[in-house]
Amino acid sequence: MTRLLKFLRLNHSERYLLINTLILLGLINLGLWLLPFSTLRRLLNRISQPNSRVSQPSVHKIIWAVDVSTNFIPGAKCLARALTCQVFMVQSGYSPELRIGVAKNEEGKLKAHAWIENQGKVVIGYLSNLSSYTPLPTLPRNLL
C-alpha cells in the first residue's frame, strides 16, 4: 500500500517516466535472454531517437526511474539497467556512452560490468572498484 501511495503522489511526468522505464527495463531484460546482443542493440537504436514531443527528464530523474524500476524486475542486472538508461537519455537529447568492462575476480574468473557515462562522468553503474575493470572498445550506436 505504501508503494501505491508513493506512486500516486508523483506528478504526471514522473509517473509516465516510471511506467515507461519499468516496461522498457522488463523488455530489455527479457531481450538479453532471448535475442542476440546485436539484434537487441538494433531494436533499441530504432527507439532511441531524440523526442521533443514529450517533456525531457533530467539525467537525475532518468536514473531515479531506472533505480526504482529495478526493484520490480527480478534479475535485472547492470547491462539491462545501462541500456534502459541509455535509451531514455538519448530520447531526452543527451549523448550517453555505454561502457562494458571486464576484470578477474579473486578466483581468477572473468567478470563483466556495464555502465553509462555522460560527458565523461559515470551516471549509472558506478562501482567503488570500477577502475579495476578494463573497458572494452565502445560500440557505436548507429552501426548495430
Side-chain angles (χ1 to χ4, degrees), residues 53-73:
R53 293 182 308 219
V54 296
S55 66
Q56 305 303 319
S58 67
V59 172
H60 175 73
K61 281 292 182 187
I62 293 168
I63 294 164
W64 164 80
V66 171
D67 286 342
V68 170
S69 297
T70 301
N71 295 323
F72 297 95
I73 305 295

Side-chain angles (χ1 to χ4, degrees), residues 15 23 43 55 61 80 111 119-120 137 141 143:
R15 272 186 266 162
I23 292 167
L43 290 170
S55 66
K61 281 292 182 187
K111 60 182 183 174
Q119 297 179 348
R141 281 189 337 102
L143 293 181

Side-chain angles (χ1 to χ4, degrees), residues 60-105:
H60 175 73
K61 281 292 182 187
I62 293 168
I63 294 164
W64 164 80
V66 171
D67 286 342
V68 170
S69 297
T70 301
N71 295 323
F72 297 95
I73 305 295
K77 302 284 188 223
C78 59
L79 184 55
R81 289 170 43 85
L83 289 170
T84 302
C85 185
Q86 182 181 39
V87 167
F88 284 107
M89 286 181 69
V90 169
Q91 287 178 347
S92 298
Y94 300 101
S95 299
E97 186 175 341
L98 173 67
R99 303 295 293 167
I100 299 173
V102 294
K104 287 189 177 180
N105 66 13

Side-chain angles (χ1 to χ4, degrees), residues 34 36 46 49 52 67-68 100 128 135-136:
L34 298 176
R46 286 186 192 157
Q49 303 303 321
S52 60
D67 286 342
V68 170
I100 299 173
S128 59
L136 299 175

Side-chain angles (χ1 to χ4, degrees), residues 101-105 108-113 129 132-134:
V102 294
K104 287 189 177 180
N105 66 13
K109 292 184 179 181
L110 195 63
K111 60 182 183 174
H113 183 62
N129 66 340
S132 68
Y133 287 83
T134 302

